[in-house]
Amino acid sequence: MGRVYARRRADGSVTSYGVEYRDETRRLVRKAGFYRKEAAQAALAEKQQRVRDIRDGLRTPMHDELARPILEHVADYATYLEARGDSVQHVRETASLIRRTVAACGWGRFIDVTGAAVAGVLSDAMHAGRSRRTCNKRLTALRGWCTWMVRERRAAENPLAHLARMDTRLDRRRVRRALDAEELARLIAAAEASPQTVGGLDGPERSRLYRFALETGFRANECRSVTAGDCACDGPRPFVRLAAQASKRRRAEEQPITPAFAAELRTFTAC
């Protein structure tokens, strides 16, 4: 059962129409904002037909999700990543990788997504000179999005679950390694003596930042999140706090630092 109702002013004149019906779970649903009674009646008939189809097993609520434009799902996924606490840069890059793939494949609905199309895009990227690491980054973004679609019951299965990441050892463009003690000392000394300002930091400030990163082991974004109030420089076991929302592991940490560096940090932060 359902009905169309009118919203009226104090003088009794109608301002708009709304519909009221019970969905497939018997929950009472109201939708307002129709400015013509005929439009409200048509919407009510459509909603009631949907409920009947679901109860008769002719469709599922997932059909409605699959009918939505695919970029709406991408936007919702980006919103989810933001709410989860991912960095702005990560959210922006992830959404961009997905949107570029959607455009390259010409997908309009999520049901169009196929592993073959993604494999073709990654193959084209490889032939264009992109590294395997770059291709894996795109595949990770796409698979994470598809996994979220399934978890949110917007899709029945992940169409990219069978695609495996490429072995980056076969195409390593840049070999990374840790600096040894001598190299670290030279880096800190060079920054300390540098007259240049980089990223808004002068030489001594960069030198102090490098030492802070070495002492704590925090990543760049984690270092950016630390404030003076997070530095416990007094006591026999000084440490630096890292909030859960700033940690890549999503848990709060207390990283011990040496007393010598704590004394220097106390002077700098006045903590």
Side-chain angles (χ1 to χ4, degrees), residues 2-19:
R3 69 184 183 95
V4 173
Y5 62 89
R7 305 186 71 175
R8 301 178 182 274
R9 297 188 181 92
D11 60 5
S13 60
V14 175
T15 60
S16 63
Y17 295 90
V19 299

Side-chain angles (χ1 to χ4, degrees), residues 134-177:
T134 298
C135 291
N136 281 344
K137 187 175 182 179
R138 175 177 289 201
L139 179 58
T140 298
L142 289 165
R143 287 182 56 177
W145 169 54
C146 291
T147 299
W148 173 82
M149 289 286 294
V150 175
R151 189 167 60 245
E152 291 293 311
R153 297 185 179 180
R154 300 187 180 203
E157 60 181 0
N158 182 343
L160 308 183
H162 64 287
L163 294 182
R165 290 166 55 87
M166 302 178 188
D167 188 348
T168 57
R169 294 174 298 180
L170 303 177
D171 180 34
R172 184 164 293 179
R173 306 291 177 88
R174 181 184 300 172
V175 179
R176 297 174 177 174
R177 64 173 180 83

Side-chain angles (χ1 to χ4, degrees), residues 211-219 223 240 253 255-257 261:
R211 286 199 58 199
F212 181 85
L214 289 171
E215 285 278 341
T216 61
F218 291 165
R219 299 172 176 85
C223 288
V240 177
E253 301 179 37
Q255 180 62 38
I257 57 176
F261 184 69

Side-chain angles (χ1 to χ4, degrees), residues 33-71:
F34 300 96
Y35 295 98
R36 295 174 58 247
K37 187 174 183 179
E38 294 79 3
Q41 291 172 332
L44 177 60
E46 179 184 351
K47 299 294 184 183
Q48 290 176 320
Q49 184 61 53
R50 172 185 175 276
V51 172
R52 286 193 294 269
D53 288 346
I54 291 175
R55 289 179 179 173
D56 293 341
L58 300 178
R59 65 187 293 176
T60 68
M62 195 177 293
H63 282 85
D64 298 327
E65 294 293 346
L66 294 177
R68 290 174 59 192
I70 194 169
L71 291 180

Side-chain angles (χ1 to χ4, degrees), residues 111-133:
I111 198 171
D112 299 329
V113 177
T114 64
V118 173
V121 169
L122 296 180
S123 177
D124 290 344
M126 289 280 291
H127 284 105
R130 298 292 188 269
S131 69
R132 294 185 176 220
R133 182 175 180 272

